[in-house]
Amino acid sequence: MLPGAPRRAARPWRRLARGACLTVCLWPAGMALACERAPHETEAIAGSVSNRWPGHGISLAWFQGPTTRYAHGVLGDEIEAAELHAYSEAAGTPCGTLSVTLPDTRVFEDIAPRLADLDGDGIPEIVVVESDRDLGARLAVYGPAQDGESLRLVAATPHIGQSRRWLAPVGIADFNGDGLMDIAYVDRPHLARTLRIWTYERGALREIAAAAGLTNHRIGETFITGGVRDCGTGPEMVLADAEWSRVVVARLTPAGISAEAVAPFSAAAVTAALACR
């Protein structure tokens, strides 16, 4: 298996099971007494639990509501998620969760949510891939709603514009050192193979750079290849070239995206690149 985040180890109808320590360690403080079991243990689609956020605000997010209403199958099966859930200190629900359910025309076509502080307030936002039945994928950012029960859409890129057209996230970082957080993804990694970088500012996403000839996913794979590294000179993106023949390291410079092939492509070479070797 290539380096990256696995989508799921088995059929997604199987509930994600974790140990008792995870129930205590990952739930917001005080919430463990409100529910008999942590909702992410009993309801999450397998493999869809996010990275843990160590600070305030949202601490964990995951997908629920498996559905076959968007039969694309780009990530190895035709089952996607209809719901996004998260633990939050601000939640007023018994289990300390916030949630959103998409309309019937949309799904979360993603491996797992990503938690990242995009606006610098110390509280993370949730970054996901959301796909529309007629318009294809877009990158979406969610955060807590004021009702203490829901997640609200904070910002999003435009949809690609056609059904069954997808994007694969690369990572989140301040790629150009301007103090604003950026999100990188590959637009249609099987077709257009275009790396795009969007910056997040004042509650909106704005595209700041793009480069063709790069990819990070092959149809049917349950993971996304590569990611973001920092070898001491700022964040860089590790991807593959369009032919999957070379490992490529890309940087955002004042002149745009620069890309350098660093090794023949292999799983080991991607791992080495991510580890700055």
Side-chain angles (χ1 to χ4, degrees):
M1 179 176 289
L2 297 178
R7 176 175 166 85
R8 48 180 76 97
R11 291 288 296 169
W13 303 103
R14 180 174 67 82
R15 300 303 187 191
L16 180 65
R18 303 259 184 166
C21 176
L22 205 63
T23 303
V24 175
C25 295
L26 293 183
W27 241 342
M31 292 299 177
L33 298 178
C35 289
E36 186 173 332
R37 285 181 64 85
H40 77 276
E41 289 190 346
T42 57
E43 300 297 330
I45 291 176
S48 75
V49 179
S50 73
N51 55 303
R52 182 187 179 188
W53 185 259
H56 294 290
I58 291 171
S59 60
L60 201 72
W62 65 93
F63 294 130
Q64 285 183 205
T67 177
T68 58
R69 67 192 185 205
Y70 187 71
H72 189 192
V74 72
L75 285 163
D77 57 44
E78 295 184 354
I79 300 169
E80 306 304 339
E83 304 167 18
L84 173 64
H85 297 258
Y87 296 125
S88 173
E89 297 172 347
T93 57
C95 293
T97 56
L98 303 174
S99 62
V100 61
T101 299
L102 292 178
D104 290 345
T105 57
R106 295 182 183 175
V107 297
F108 294 108
E109 191 176 16
D110 205 348
I111 295 167
R114 300 150 197 84
L115 301 186
D117 180 11
L118 299 181
D119 57 11
D121 65 354
I123 297 174
E125 283 71 40
I126 307 172
V127 180
V128 294
V129 180
E130 181 182 309
S131 292
D132 181 86
R133 179 185 62 198
D134 300 318
L135 301 175
R138 69 177 180 179
L139 192 81
V141 177
Y142 281 85
Q146 292 185 350
D147 62 6
E149 299 179 357
S150 307
L151 292 167
R152 68 179 182 92
L153 182 66
V154 175
T157 65
H159 287 278
I160 290 172
Q162 183 176 344
S163 181
R164 301 183 182 182
R165 296 294 183 265
W166 187 63
L167 62 87
V170 177
I172 304 167
D174 180 2
F175 288 112
N176 58 0
D178 65 354
L180 300 176
M181 292 297 287
D182 309 309
I183 307 174
Y185 66 76
V186 177
D187 175 4
R188 290 160 290 173
H190 324 115
L191 296 170
R193 300 179 178 91
T194 300
L195 173 64
R196 299 190 186 278
I197 302 177
W198 295 70
T199 195
Y200 183 86
E201 185 176 15
R202 298 177 182 176
L205 289 166
R206 172 172 53 88
E207 187 173 4
I208 57 174
L214 299 167
T215 189
N216 61 348
H217 186 265
R218 289 180 281 205
I219 292 175
E221 290 181 336
T222 59
F223 54 91
I224 295 171
T225 294
V228 175
R229 72 177 192 179
D230 191 335
C231 301
T233 58
E236 300 172 312
M237 295 153 278
V238 178
L239 309 104
D241 66 358
E243 291 75 32
W244 290 91
S245 63
R246 305 286 293 179
V247 176
V248 175
V249 172
R251 291 184 61 91
L252 181 57
T253 73
I257 297 172
S258 66
E260 177 186 4
V262 296
F265 183 85
S266 69
V270 174
T271 298
L274 287 169
C276 302
R277 299 197 302 269

